[in-house]
Amino acid sequence: MLKRNAGLVALAALLLVGTGTACGGPEADVESEPLKEGGWAGHGGTGGTGGIAGNGGNGGFAGGMAGNGGTAGKGGYGGTGGIAGNGGFAGGMAGNGGTGGTGGHDKEKNCEICPEGKGALIVKKEFCVPAPGQTPPYDCEAIDSEEEVHIVIKKIAPKKRDIFDGFISEGDPFAECVPAGDFLIWEDCEALPPGVSCLDEFPIEAVVEEGEKTYVTIRNLIETAPVELGLLTLRKEYCLPAPGETPPYDCAAISSSEPVEVIVRDAGGVIVHQSDVVEGTPLELPLAAGDYTVEEECAGLPAGVSCFYPQPIELTVAAGANTDFTLINIVEYGTLTVRKEYCAATTGGGYDPASCNAVTNSTPVSVRILDENDMVVEGPFELMEGSPQNFNLPPGDYTVVEDCSDLPSGTTCIYPDGIGVTVGVGNSDITLINAVSAASG
């Protein structure tokens, strides 16, 4: 059975056969070269059971008169201890026998030197994506994958033999010293995901020469089907409560530039988008057709502001269509009442609270209301004694400031820097005091 990694959409196979000079070297159209250099000196015996690498040591590369016997390898395909090496084919000083290789299945590294009668067969895996208009019409540099595919390798001549039946991947190729001869390689196309097939007919024939390396690269095409997109448009509105009306809010009465964070998840709960949305600036999201949830981060809203939709909203995006939705925030305004009083001045710059009812003055003063950032939210407006003014404000901290520069002679401001006030959901009341000296009265 084919093992597949999550997220792999589709596979198809394209194979190339080539030869090279080293395991992991160039793939196709490369001249083959012998695995060894120099004469074949005395050959050590093949090692005992174990991995591919453990053949007995060969004699020294410089041939010569009788070489010493090689030490038996620990790994290898089987056999007993080493046999004394024969003299090298080329003349020269006697070469010493090589030490046997260690055991283990070290893939390409272990096929650097193969024993007589064998060559290296390396079967690699490579994943590609479509590249229409190119030759060949795929791109194998654009993607990496550890997806495994099932292959079978059989030797068919001069003797039939089963070589391999298992899985390979980009990071884990098949690489072994095999008897020289003709081979057939299959990929298990029927085990590929539905709708995916191999592009080439199998089996693929590969010829392994003694002392050479033969490469076979199986290229799988990851075919990405076109995604049908729709558009999700999210809007933001701040509204005042409107009990008894349908809908129960009034969005025309107020506006705000306060951003609100929204999170969009797909049907599997995976976040596909997360950002702020601002009133007057719609958020347009091209999304694959399907079901989504939209959730507003209600916990981060300012005091007195709440979500009309406190739970995630389920929306469906259709291919080629626009799904438009407005997130509503209800603003519970508080009322700030601002009053003016004239009172008798006292020594030291104060005033007599008991005198405020007896002192009257119809002179208006200019007043502004600042928010916590010292931005003017109301005013300037004229305020007169006996004529209080009411303002609907979002909950928060404000400062009510009187213009003290244009007061009548003998009249001073008790609060020249203004009065701080916190507006909540309900009514807040402040009074600006002007002290009038006896001489001016």
Side-chain angles (χ1 to χ4, degrees):
M1 180 177 293
L2 177 65
K3 301 177 183 177
R4 292 183 291 153
N5 293 337
L8 184 62
V9 179
L11 301 173
L14 185 64
L15 290 97
L16 294 179
V17 178
T19 56
T21 61
C23 298
E27 311 253 322
D29 303 324
V30 177
E31 294 290 336
S32 63
E33 295 182 3
L35 285 166
K36 292 184 173 293
E37 299 176 358
W40 291 84
H43 180 68
T46 301
T49 58
I52 301 166
N55 299 316
N58 296 317
F61 287 165
M65 299 180 63
N68 297 323
T71 302
K74 298 179 181 178
Y77 284 103
T80 58
I83 300 173
N86 295 318
F89 294 149
M93 299 294 295
N96 293 322
T99 302
T102 58
H105 193 81
D106 196 17
K107 297 296 181 183
E108 294 188 53
K109 185 176 180 180
N110 288 337
C111 63
E112 289 295 333
I113 300 177
C114 292
E116 289 186 78
K118 294 186 176 183
L121 176 61
I122 299 99
V123 182
K124 292 188 172 186
K125 162 56 54 188
E126 208 171 51
F127 288 93
C128 314
V129 293
Q134 295 185 15
T135 304
Y138 52 81
D139 181 4
C140 303
E141 299 295 329
I143 188 170
D144 292 314
S145 174
E146 287 304 314
E147 177 73 19
E148 294 182 327
V149 297
H150 182 203
I151 67 168
V152 176
I153 304 173
K154 293 180 180 289
K155 185 175 184 292
I156 59 172
K159 293 182 179 181
K160 293 183 179 180
R161 180 177 176 181
D162 293 336
I163 299 298
F164 182 75
D165 186 343
F167 293 87
I168 65 171
S169 66
E170 284 190 342
D172 187 19
F174 172 87
E176 293 187 4
C177 292
V178 297
D182 297 337
F183 294 80
L184 295 179
I185 303 171
W186 290 263
E187 180 176 3
D188 191 353
C189 300
E190 294 183 358
L192 296 174
V196 180
S197 61
C198 296
L199 296 180
D200 283 79
E201 294 183 1
F202 289 96
I204 298 296
E205 183 176 354
V207 178
V208 177
E209 301 287 348
E210 179 182 358
E212 295 185 359
K213 294 178 180 170
T214 299
Y215 292 89
V216 177
T217 298
I218 302 176
R219 291 188 170 95
N220 287 86
L221 192 66
I222 300 180
E223 298 174 341
T224 54
V227 178
E228 295 184 303
L229 296 179
L231 187 66
L232 174 60
T233 301
L234 298 177
R235 305 178 189 273
K236 164 56 56 186
E237 288 278 3
Y238 286 90
C239 311
L240 292 176
E245 296 185 11
T246 303
Y249 48 80
D250 178 9
C251 301
I254 62 169
S255 64
S256 174
S257 60
E258 185 75 22
V260 176
E261 185 180 35
V262 293
I263 301 172
V264 182
R265 291 183 171 88
D266 63 15
V270 177
I271 295 177
V272 297
H273 185 83
Q274 184 172 359
S275 69
D276 289 342
V277 61
V278 180
E279 188 174 56
T281 306
L283 183 62
E284 296 182 342
L285 304 175
L287 297 173
D291 295 328
Y292 297 87
T293 60
V294 177
E295 181 180 358
E296 183 175 356
E297 189 60 48
C298 301
L301 294 174
V305 181
S306 61
C307 291
F308 187 75
Y309 304 103
Q311 302 300 321
I313 304 299
E314 297 180 357
L315 299 172
T316 298
V317 175
N322 180 35
T323 299
D324 199 304
F325 187 78
T326 301
L327 295 163
I328 303 296
N329 289 110
I330 303 299
V331 181
E332 297 282 353
Y333 272 18
T335 301
L336 174 62
T337 300
V338 183
R339 306 176 187 275
K340 163 56 61 181
E341 285 280 2
Y342 285 91
C343 306
T346 61
T347 57
Y351 72 98
D352 180 8
S355 68
C356 295
N357 291 332
V359 178
T360 60
N361 194 317
S362 59
T363 302
V365 294
S366 179
V367 179
R368 294 171 300 151
I369 301 177
L370 311 179
D371 65 12
E372 59 185 3
N373 297 315
D374 291 333
M375 300 296 294
V376 177
V377 295
E378 295 288 348
F381 57 90
E382 288 190 340
L383 184 66
M384 297 177 60
E385 188 176 43
S387 299
Q389 295 201 36
N390 299 314
F391 300 92
N392 291 323
L393 299 172
D397 295 327
Y398 298 89
T399 303
V400 181
V401 181
E402 178 182 357
D403 183 0
C404 301
S405 64
D406 196 27
L407 295 176
S409 176
T411 304
T412 59
C413 289
I414 296 300
Y415 308 107
D417 296 325
I419 301 177
V421 59
T422 298
V423 176
V425 179
N427 187 72
S428 301
D429 196 308
I430 66 163
T431 301
L432 294 169
I433 306 294
N434 288 114
V436 182
S437 66
S440 63

PDB file of all heavy atoms in Angstrom, residues 330-351:
ATOM      1  N   ILE A 330     -22.519  47.325  19.057  1.00  0.00           N
ATOM      2  CA  ILE A 330     -23.474  48.187  19.741  1.00  0.00           C
ATOM      3  C   ILE A 330     -22.731  49.066  20.741  1.00  0.00           C
ATOM      4  O   ILE A 330     -21.964  48.570  21.581  1.00  0.00           O
ATOM      5  CB  ILE A 330     -24.556  47.364  20.466  1.00  0.00           C
ATOM      6  CG1 ILE A 330     -25.275  46.458  19.465  1.00  0.00           C
ATOM      7  CG2 ILE A 330     -25.536  48.283  21.183  1.00  0.00           C
ATOM      8  CD1 ILE A 330     -25.990  47.216  18.361  1.00  0.00           C
ATOM      9  N   VAL A 331     -22.938  50.374  20.627  1.00  0.00           N
ATOM     10  CA  VAL A 331     -22.290  51.332  21.514  1.00  0.00           C
ATOM     11  C   VAL A 331     -23.318  51.847  22.512  1.00  0.00           C
ATOM     12  O   VAL A 331     -24.310  52.491  22.134  1.00  0.00           O
ATOM     13  CB  VAL A 331     -21.690  52.506  20.710  1.00  0.00           C
ATOM     14  CG1 VAL A 331     -21.005  53.487  21.650  1.00  0.00           C
ATOM     15  CG2 VAL A 331     -20.720  51.987  19.669  1.00  0.00           C
ATOM     16  N   GLU A 332     -23.114  51.559  23.762  1.00  0.00           N
ATOM     17  CA  GLU A 332     -23.999  52.037  24.833  1.00  0.00           C
ATOM     18  C   GLU A 332     -23.479  53.392  25.304  1.00  0.00           C
ATOM     19  O   GLU A 332     -22.562  53.479  26.122  1.00  0.00           O
ATOM     20  CB  GLU A 332     -24.023  51.032  25.989  1.00  0.00           C
ATOM     21  CG  GLU A 332     -24.586  49.665  25.618  1.00  0.00           C
ATOM     22  CD  GLU A 332     -26.098  49.677  25.545  1.00  0.00           C
ATOM     23  OE1 GLU A 332     -26.714  50.705  25.917  1.00  0.00           O
ATOM     24  OE2 GLU A 332     -26.677  48.661  25.108  1.00  0.00           O
ATOM     25  N   TYR A 333     -24.032  54.472  24.770  1.00  0.00           N
ATOM     26  CA  TYR A 333     -23.569  55.813  25.131  1.00  0.00           C
ATOM     27  C   TYR A 333     -24.024  56.197  26.530  1.00  0.00           C
ATOM     28  O   TYR A 333     -25.076  55.762  27.011  1.00  0.00           O
ATOM     29  CB  TYR A 333     -24.129  56.828  24.135  1.00  0.00           C
ATOM     30  CG  TYR A 333     -23.253  57.034  22.918  1.00  0.00           C
ATOM     31  CD1 TYR A 333     -22.278  56.105  22.568  1.00  0.00           C
ATOM     32  CD2 TYR A 333     -23.387  58.151  22.128  1.00  0.00           C
ATOM     33  CE1 TYR A 333     -21.479  56.293  21.470  1.00  0.00           C
ATOM     34  CE2 TYR A 333     -22.593  58.352  21.012  1.00  0.00           C
ATOM     35  CZ  TYR A 333     -21.632  57.409  20.690  1.00  0.00           C
ATOM     36  OH  TYR A 333     -20.847  57.603  19.589  1.00  0.00           O
ATOM     37  N   GLY A 334     -23.185  57.001  27.150  1.00  0.00           N
ATOM     38  CA  GLY A 334     -23.575  57.634  28.405  1.00  0.00           C
ATOM     39  C   GLY A 334     -23.922  59.100  28.158  1.00  0.00           C
ATOM     40  O   GLY A 334     -23.614  59.657  27.102  1.00  0.00           O
ATOM     41  N   THR A 335     -24.590  59.735  29.131  1.00  0.00           N
ATOM     42  CA  THR A 335     -24.976  61.146  29.011  1.00  0.00           C
ATOM     43  C   THR A 335     -24.129  61.984  29.953  1.00  0.00           C
ATOM     44  O   THR A 335     -24.020  61.691  31.148  1.00  0.00           O
ATOM     45  CB  THR A 335     -26.461  61.350  29.351  1.00  0.00           C
ATOM     46  OG1 THR A 335     -27.253  60.569  28.464  1.00  0.00           O
ATOM     47  CG2 THR A 335     -26.856  62.807  29.215  1.00  0.00           C
ATOM     48  N   LEU A 336     -23.502  63.019  29.401  1.00  0.00           N
ATOM     49  CA  LEU A 336     -22.725  63.964  30.186  1.00  0.00           C
ATOM     50  C   LEU A 336     -23.470  65.295  30.212  1.00  0.00           C
ATOM     51  O   LEU A 336     -23.735  65.882  29.161  1.00  0.00           O
ATOM     52  CB  LEU A 336     -21.327  64.153  29.599  1.00  0.00           C
ATOM     53  CG  LEU A 336     -20.458  65.234  30.258  1.00  0.00           C
ATOM     54  CD1 LEU A 336     -20.197  64.886  31.728  1.00  0.00           C
ATOM     55  CD2 LEU A 336     -19.155  65.416  29.497  1.00  0.00           C
ATOM     56  N   THR A 337     -23.832  65.751  31.426  1.00  0.00           N
ATOM     57  CA  THR A 337     -24.496  67.045  31.600  1.00  0.00           C
ATOM     58  C   THR A 337     -23.469  68.061  32.107  1.00  0.00           C
ATOM     59  O   THR A 337     -22.801  67.827  33.120  1.00  0.00           O
ATOM     60  CB  THR A 337     -25.658  66.937  32.598  1.00  0.00           C
ATOM     61  OG1 THR A 337     -26.616  65.979  32.100  1.00  0.00           O
ATOM     62  CG2 THR A 337     -26.354  68.278  32.770  1.00  0.00           C
ATOM     63  N   VAL A 338     -23.362  69.180  31.389  1.00  0.00           N
ATOM     64  CA  VAL A 338     -22.403  70.235  31.742  1.00  0.00           C
ATOM     65  C   VAL A 338     -23.182  71.475  32.170  1.00  0.00           C
ATOM     66  O   VAL A 338     -24.064  71.953  31.439  1.00  0.00           O
ATOM     67  CB  VAL A 338     -21.473  70.571  30.555  1.00  0.00           C
ATOM     68  CG1 VAL A 338     -20.444  71.626  30.974  1.00  0.00           C
ATOM     69  CG2 VAL A 338     -20.782  69.316  30.048  1.00  0.00           C
ATOM     70  N   ARG A 339     -22.858  71.997  33.384  1.00  0.00           N
ATOM     71  CA  ARG A 339     -23.562  73.161  33.937  1.00  0.00           C
ATOM     72  C   ARG A 339     -22.572  74.293  34.187  1.00  0.00           C
ATOM     73  O   ARG A 339     -21.369  74.085  34.279  1.00  0.00           O
ATOM     74  CB  ARG A 339     -24.260  72.796  35.256  1.00  0.00           C
ATOM     75  CG  ARG A 339     -25.187  71.576  35.150  1.00  0.00           C
ATOM     76  CD  ARG A 339     -25.764  71.209  36.524  1.00  0.00           C
ATOM     77  NE  ARG A 339     -26.504  69.962  36.462  1.00  0.00           N
ATOM     78  CZ  ARG A 339     -27.778  69.862  36.104  1.00  0.00           C
ATOM     79  NH1 ARG A 339     -28.454  70.984  35.807  1.00  0.00           N
ATOM     80  NH2 ARG A 339     -28.392  68.700  36.075  1.00  0.00           N
ATOM     81  N   LYS A 340     -23.139  75.489  34.345  1.00  0.00           N
ATOM     82  CA  LYS A 340     -22.351  76.686  34.646  1.00  0.00           C
ATOM     83  C   LYS A 340     -22.905  77.338  35.907  1.00  0.00           C
ATOM     84  O   LYS A 340     -24.122  77.499  36.061  1.00  0.00           O
ATOM     85  CB  LYS A 340     -22.394  77.656  33.467  1.00  0.00           C
ATOM     86  CG  LYS A 340     -21.971  79.086  33.755  1.00  0.00           C
ATOM     87  CD  LYS A 340     -20.576  79.200  34.357  1.00  0.00           C
ATOM     88  CE  LYS A 340     -19.522  78.652  33.438  1.00  0.00           C
ATOM     89  NZ  LYS A 340     -18.188  78.756  34.092  1.00  0.00           N
ATOM     90  N   GLU A 341     -21.982  77.733  36.831  1.00  0.00           N
ATOM     91  CA  GLU A 341     -22.376  78.446  38.064  1.00  0.00           C
ATOM     92  C   GLU A 341     -21.415  79.612  38.281  1.00  0.00           C
ATOM     93  O   GLU A 341     -20.200  79.490  38.060  1.00  0.00           O
ATOM     94  CB  GLU A 341     -22.302  77.517  39.281  1.00  0.00           C
ATOM     95  CG  GLU A 341     -23.423  76.515  39.384  1.00  0.00           C
ATOM     96  CD  GLU A 341     -24.706  77.105  39.951  1.00  0.00           C
ATOM     97  OE1 GLU A 341     -24.714  78.328  40.238  1.00  0.00           O
ATOM     98  OE2 GLU A 341     -25.679  76.348  40.101  1.00  0.00           O
ATOM     99  N   TYR A 342     -22.004  80.743  38.745  1.00  0.00           N
ATOM    100  CA  TYR A 342     -21.204  81.890  39.195  1.00  0.00           C
ATOM    101  C   TYR A 342     -21.336  81.967  40.698  1.00  0.00           C
ATOM    102  O   TYR A 342     -22.458  81.890  41.240  1.00  0.00           O
ATOM    103  CB  TYR A 342     -21.705  83.176  38.539  1.00  0.00           C
ATOM    104  CG  TYR A 342     -21.292  83.295  37.078  1.00  0.00           C
ATOM    105  CD1 TYR A 342     -22.112  82.799  36.079  1.00  0.00           C
ATOM    106  CD2 TYR A 342     -20.096  83.909  36.737  1.00  0.00           C
ATOM    107  CE1 TYR A 342     -21.750  82.895  34.751  1.00  0.00           C
ATOM    108  CE2 TYR A 342     -19.726  84.019  35.408  1.00  0.00           C
ATOM    109  CZ  TYR A 342     -20.548  83.512  34.421  1.00  0.00           C
ATOM    110  OH  TYR A 342     -20.187  83.619  33.098  1.00  0.00           O
ATOM    111  N   CYS A 343     -20.227  82.123  41.399  1.00  0.00           N
ATOM    112  CA  CYS A 343     -20.213  82.157  42.859  1.00  0.00           C
ATOM    113  C   CYS A 343     -19.310  83.307  43.326  1.00  0.00           C
ATOM    114  O   CYS A 343     -18.483  83.827  42.549  1.00  0.00           O
ATOM    115  CB  CYS A 343     -19.690  80.837  43.431  1.00  0.00           C
ATOM    116  SG  CYS A 343     -20.588  79.377  42.827  1.00  0.00           S
ATOM    117  N   ALA A 344     -19.450  83.660  44.584  1.00  0.00           N
ATOM    118  CA  ALA A 344     -18.633  84.746  45.152  1.00  0.00           C
ATOM    119  C   ALA A 344     -17.213  84.257  45.386  1.00  0.00           C
ATOM    120  O   ALA A 344     -16.991  83.157  45.902  1.00  0.00           O
ATOM    121  CB  ALA A 344     -19.249  85.231  46.446  1.00  0.00           C
ATOM    122  N   ALA A 345     -16.283  85.077  44.975  1.00  0.00           N
ATOM    123  CA  ALA A 345     -14.868  84.748  45.152  1.00  0.00           C
ATOM    124  C   ALA A 345     -14.449  84.915  46.596  1.00  0.00           C
ATOM    125  O   ALA A 345     -14.994  85.743  47.342  1.00  0.00           O
ATOM    126  CB  ALA A 345     -14.012  85.633  44.254  1.00  0.00           C
ATOM    127  N   THR A 346     -13.495  84.148  47.026  1.00  0.00           N
ATOM    128  CA  THR A 346     -12.910  84.262  48.351  1.00  0.00           C
ATOM    129  C   THR A 346     -11.418  84.522  48.185  1.00  0.00           C
ATOM    130  O   THR A 346     -10.847  84.338  47.103  1.00  0.00           O
ATOM    131  CB  THR A 346     -13.122  82.980  49.168  1.00  0.00           C
ATOM    132  OG1 THR A 346     -12.492  81.889  48.498  1.00  0.00           O
ATOM    133  CG2 THR A 346     -14.611  82.690  49.348  1.00  0.00           C
ATOM    134  N   THR A 347     -10.815  84.952  49.299  1.00  0.00           N
ATOM    135  CA  THR A 347      -9.373  85.207  49.234  1.00  0.00           C
ATOM    136  C   THR A 347      -8.641  83.903  48.970  1.00  0.00           C
ATOM    137  O   THR A 347      -9.064  82.832  49.411  1.00  0.00           O
ATOM    138  CB  THR A 347      -8.884  85.807  50.557  1.00  0.00           C
ATOM    139  OG1 THR A 347      -9.215  84.922  51.629  1.00  0.00           O
ATOM    140  CG2 THR A 347      -9.506  87.175  50.795  1.00  0.00           C
ATOM    141  N   GLY A 348      -7.533  84.016  48.265  1.00  0.00           N
ATOM    142  CA  GLY A 348      -6.757  82.822  47.952  1.00  0.00           C
ATOM    143  C   GLY A 348      -7.172  82.174  46.654  1.00  0.00           C
ATOM    144  O   GLY A 348      -6.694  81.089  46.311  1.00  0.00           O
ATOM    145  N   GLY A 349      -8.118  82.760  45.894  1.00  0.00           N
ATOM    146  CA  GLY A 349      -8.493  82.214  44.600  1.00  0.00           C
ATOM    147  C   GLY A 349      -9.585  81.173  44.641  1.00  0.00           C
ATOM    148  O   GLY A 349      -9.850  80.511  43.644  1.00  0.00           O
ATOM    149  N   GLY A 350     -10.284  81.063  45.792  1.00  0.00           N
ATOM    150  CA  GLY A 350     -11.365  80.099  45.882  1.00  0.00           C
ATOM    151  C   GLY A 350     -12.721  80.739  45.685  1.00  0.00           C
ATOM    152  O   GLY A 350     -12.846  81.857  45.172  1.00  0.00           O
ATOM    153  N   TYR A 351     -13.765  80.049  46.127  1.00  0.00           N
ATOM    154  CA  TYR A 351     -15.133  80.581  46.022  1.00  0.00           C
ATOM    155  C   TYR A 351     -15.931  80.051  47.198  1.00  0.00           C
ATOM    156  O   TYR A 351     -15.582  79.060  47.849  1.00  0.00           O
ATOM    157  CB  TYR A 351     -15.775  80.187  44.698  1.00  0.00           C
ATOM    158  CG  TYR A 351     -16.148  78.714  44.598  1.00  0.00           C
ATOM    159  CD1 TYR A 351     -17.456  78.298  44.853  1.00  0.00           C
ATOM    160  CD2 TYR A 351     -15.200  77.750  44.262  1.00  0.00           C
ATOM    161  CE1 TYR A 351     -17.785  76.956  44.766  1.00  0.00           C
ATOM    162  CE2 TYR A 351     -15.523  76.423  44.169  1.00  0.00           C
ATOM    163  CZ  TYR A 351     -16.834  76.020  44.424  1.00  0.00           C
ATOM    164  OH  TYR A 351     -17.178  74.692  44.349  1.00  0.00           O
TER     165      TYR A 351
END
